[in-house]
Amino acid sequence: METLSPEVLEDLRHGRAPRERKIAVCTGGAHLAPVDRAEILAVLAGDADEMVATRAQDAILSLPPEAFIEAIKREQALPALFSYAAKHLADKPGICDALVHNKNCATEHLVHAVRHLSTLGIQTLMEELERISESPTLAAVLEHSPLLTPEQKNQLHELYGPGHPIDEAALAEAAAAAEPDVARRQTLIQRIATMTVAQRVQYAIKGGTDARRTLIRDPNKVVQRAVLASPRLTDQEVEAFASMSSLTDEILRLIAGNRNFRKNYVVVRNLINNPKTPLDVTLHMLPMLNAQDLKRLTMNKNIPETLRTTAFKLHRTRADLKK
């Protein structure tokens, strides 16, 4: 049995190998790891040579779904594999969830996968605001999934429903806080004012800091969540958001619930000192404050009385323990 070099493997993965070698892979005449064979057979199943394609399709029947799942999980997995798996293997357990978990899998392939997703797969996909906001078709298919929770259905409605009309005054106020330059601010306002909700989600994820600082105050919750999901979001921005009393308690709760955000002490301190942060959240985080900030909190008259009283008791308890 022939052992294939990395160069030959690449030729096979991209359909450049000679016919004889393609046939050898289909008939088991070439030594390949199951994960490599699965991916290459998926590529060859769409080969222009009808004999190669037929042999590849027949060979696929003998491979376990696990081989395809492992192939799909790989960062360098090919679009041809995604396409074949979505169209022909979607009913196999684990295939569609694997497609969702690979960030490189295009939304066009996920459309075929939705009805076969597990509850966890649906949840994972619903958290991928960038994918859903760029594909109305995917969102429409998702909306008909019986596994969707009422909250998730509401999120889709927020994204593609009529949405809240843009409050121009509120937009101008948010932009003024985000962008000091008048000319750039006006450009920002004009750009956002003409966007749909889905477009604002895309802008929140992919735009610059001025876009995020403006859109965190968007009237649509899904846009606000997109800001927090942006891979470009900086620690300094989250720190600023945590101190903004103009944000909704829901967004402040989301910030507090994010493990990565909570690793930043400034975020925690700002949330606790923000009068808009829900009381149950601030009480839970209170022990995370250092002695100096805890003492300052006892004198903060903007926070709820319950929080201030609890802070005072904790401060006194800590002082007693030091005696």
Side-chain angles (χ1 to χ4, degrees):
M1 186 179 291
E2 182 185 10
T3 299
L4 305 180
S5 68
E7 292 76 19
V8 172
L9 275 177
E10 278 304 293
D11 284 344
L12 283 165
R13 290 178 78 241
H14 294 90
R16 297 189 298 259
R19 187 187 199 214
E20 295 74 19
R21 186 150 273 152
K22 293 177 180 179
I23 295 292
V25 171
C26 297
T27 58
H31 180 70
L32 284 170
V35 65
D36 289 324
R37 188 159 189 255
E39 181 170 48
I40 291 170
L41 286 176
V43 172
L44 297 181
D47 198 90
D49 186 320
E50 188 175 343
M51 178 181 286
V52 172
T54 301
R55 295 262 182 111
Q57 291 161 18
D58 291 342
I60 283 172
L61 298 176
S62 65
L63 281 180
E66 290 75 19
F68 287 95
I69 291 171
E70 288 306 309
I72 291 167
K73 286 180 178 178
R74 297 197 294 194
E75 188 177 350
Q76 302 302 322
L78 296 171
L81 173 62
F82 297 144
S83 178
Y84 186 88
K87 291 176 181 176
H88 303 288
L89 303 174
D91 59 340
K92 306 297 182 185
I95 291 288
C96 291
D97 280 24
L99 290 172
V100 168
H101 280 90
N102 192 318
K103 306 295 184 186
N104 296 320
C105 182
T107 54
E108 63 187 276
H109 306 310
L110 298 179
V111 169
H112 299 284
V114 167
R115 67 191 184 98
H116 298 286
L117 288 175
S118 66
T119 302
L120 181 59
I122 290 286
Q123 181 181 334
T124 301
L125 186 53
M126 286 300 300
E127 291 171 356
E128 295 281 344
L129 286 175
E130 183 174 355
R131 278 169 155 175
I132 299 173
S133 62
E134 72 181 12
S135 175
T137 305
L138 177 60
V141 174
L142 261 172
E143 195 169 9
H144 290 92
S145 170
L147 299 179
L148 218 60
T149 66
E151 183 182 353
Q152 289 167 337
K153 286 184 179 180
N154 186 55
Q155 183 173 322
L156 288 176
H157 182 71
E158 286 180 25
L159 192 56
Y160 285 105
H164 300 280
I166 287 286
D167 183 329
E168 293 185 6
L171 175 59
E173 182 183 341
E179 177 53 74
D181 184 273
V182 177
R184 285 204 292 262
R185 184 194 314 159
Q186 193 59 34
T187 301
L188 179 66
I189 291 171
Q190 290 172 350
R191 183 173 185 179
I192 292 175
T194 60
M195 288 180 174
T196 64
V197 174
Q199 288 170 337
R200 298 205 301 276
V201 166
Q202 287 282 309
Y203 195 33
I205 293 171
K206 299 176 181 178
T209 183
D210 56 343
R212 290 188 295 277
R213 287 177 181 269
T214 302
L215 292 173
I216 193 66
R217 295 170 64 177
D218 192 277
N220 197 298
K221 295 175 184 176
V222 74
V223 178
Q224 297 171 351
R225 287 195 290 270
V227 171
L228 299 182
S230 172
R232 298 184 174 188
L233 189 65
T234 66
D235 288 345
Q236 290 73 29
E237 288 174 78
V238 181
E239 290 167 8
F241 296 159
S243 65
M244 290 170 63
S245 58
S246 57
L247 297 188
T248 64
D249 56 355
E250 181 179 344
I251 290 301
L252 293 171
R253 187 182 292 277
L254 281 176
I255 294 173
N258 186 299
R259 189 176 301 174
N260 289 328
F261 295 163
R262 285 202 313 273
K263 291 178 182 177
N264 184 332
Y265 179 78
V266 177
V267 170
V268 172
R269 185 185 63 198
N270 289 354
L271 283 170
I272 294 174
N273 280 277
N274 188 335
K276 283 290 291 292
T277 306
L279 182 60
D280 63 306
V281 171
T282 53
L283 287 173
H284 179 72
M285 294 192 300
L286 190 60
M288 300 170 70
L289 285 186
N290 62 35
Q292 185 178 19
D293 288 326
L294 186 62
K295 185 176 181 179
R296 286 175 180 165
L297 190 67
T298 64
M299 297 179 282
N300 185 345
K301 295 185 179 180
N302 294 320
I303 61 173
E305 180 64 28
T306 302
L307 178 60
R308 190 164 62 251
T309 302
T310 307
F312 180 78
K313 290 178 180 177
L314 179 59
H315 176 66
R316 188 171 58 189
T317 300
R318 286 181 178 178
D320 290 343
L321 289 173
K322 287 183 178 181
K323 292 179 180 178

